Amino acid sequence: MDELELVFPTKEYKEKILDFKKEFNGETIHGCGGLDRIEDIDEWLLKIKDDLTKDTPTRVRATLFIAVRKSDQKIVGIIQIRHRLNEHLLLYGGHIGDSVRPSERKKGYATEMIRLALNECKNLGIFKVLMVCYVDNIGSEKSIINNGGVLENIVEDEDGNKIKRFWIDLK
C-alpha cells in the first residue's frame, strides 16, 4: 500500500473529485459531506467549508478530507470527522464516516485513512471516538477494529438496517 495524506479539498482537486465520484456509479459515498447528492463540485466545496463552522441541533461541525495517495496524487478515499455527536449520530453515524473508491478497496486504505483521521480527532480534542458500520460490512468492521475499535452493541436504524457501534479510546 502506498502512503496516504489527508487533504482538505480545494478547487485544484476538482477533476480528481469528479473522477472519484464517477467511480461510485450512483452508490452511496459514506462520509462524503453530500458529494453523492450535490452535482456542482464548487457548491460542494463551499458546503464542506461551511461545515467547518456550522453547528446547529441537527447539523454538527465537521471536517472533511480526501485521502490522496502520495505516489500519484490519486484520491483513494474520503473521510469526514464530526466534531460532536447529536442524537442521530450517537446512534447511527458516529464521529467518522469514510469511503474508499471501489477500485482501491481491500488494499488497507480504509485502515490507514482512519488512523490518520484519529490523529486529527486528537487535534480537535476528541479522545473517545464512535465509529459505526453495517453488520455485513466486514471490510469496514476490520478497519475499525484494526484502529482499536471495541464493539459496544448492535442497533437497528429506522430502515431496519443493523449497525455495529464501536468506540475507540485515544487517551
Side-chain angles (χ1 to χ4, degrees):
M1 179 186 66
D2 292 328
E3 191 175 358
L4 297 179
E5 63 182 333
L6 297 184
V7 177
F8 189 80
T10 59
K11 287 185 182 200
E12 76 175 346
Y13 287 99
K14 189 173 180 175
E15 291 305 315
K16 290 180 181 193
I17 292 166
L18 285 167
D19 183 59
F20 173 84
K21 180 180 178 178
K22 182 179 176 185
E23 189 171 318
F24 282 84
N25 197 25
E27 176 186 336
T28 299
I29 308 172
H30 297 281
C32 72
L35 178 62
D36 53 358
R37 296 183 307 274
I38 298 172
E39 291 303 317
D40 183 334
I41 296 300
D42 290 323
E43 180 183 330
W44 178 73
L45 290 169
L46 288 173
K47 183 219 176 274
I48 61 168
K49 187 175 181 185
D50 189 43
D51 287 346
L52 292 167
T53 57
K54 190 141 206 165
D55 199 7
T56 69
T58 57
R59 190 169 156 195
V60 304
R61 285 187 305 141
T63 304
L64 184 138
F65 296 102
I66 50 177
V68 178
R69 187 168 45 210
K70 288 185 177 184
S71 64
D72 61 3
Q73 295 298 295
K74 182 177 184 178
I75 298 173
V76 300
I78 198 163
I79 194 159
Q80 184 182 53
I81 302 168
R82 293 113 188 181
H83 297 198
R84 68 173 179 87
L85 300 175
N86 61 20
E87 187 176 327
H88 179 81
L89 292 172
L90 179 61
L91 289 173
Y92 312 118
H95 284 99
I96 298 175
D98 66 287
S99 287
V100 174
R101 71 188 308 151
S103 63
E104 299 294 341
R105 292 180 180 159
K106 298 183 180 181
K107 297 179 182 179
Y109 287 124
T111 296
E112 178 62 6
M113 287 167 46
I114 293 168
R115 185 187 73 75
L116 294 169
L118 291 172
N119 289 333
E120 294 294 333
C121 286
K122 289 178 191 175
N123 294 336
L124 291 166
I126 306 167
F127 297 102
K128 191 167 169 95
V129 177
L130 176 66
M131 290 195 69
V132 304
C133 66
Y134 293 117
V135 294
D136 61 349
N137 190 338
I138 304 303
S140 203
E141 179 178 352
K142 284 181 181 178
S143 64
I144 295 167
I145 291 170
N146 286 343
N147 278 286
V150 176
L151 180 65
E152 178 179 62
N153 61 2
I154 299 173
V155 297
E156 192 171 299
D157 71 12
E158 50 275 339
D159 296 324
N161 299 305
K162 292 190 184 305
I163 297 171
K164 289 187 174 184
R165 299 174 68 250
F166 296 86
W167 288 96
I168 302 171
D169 190 347
L170 300 178
K171 288 186 179 176

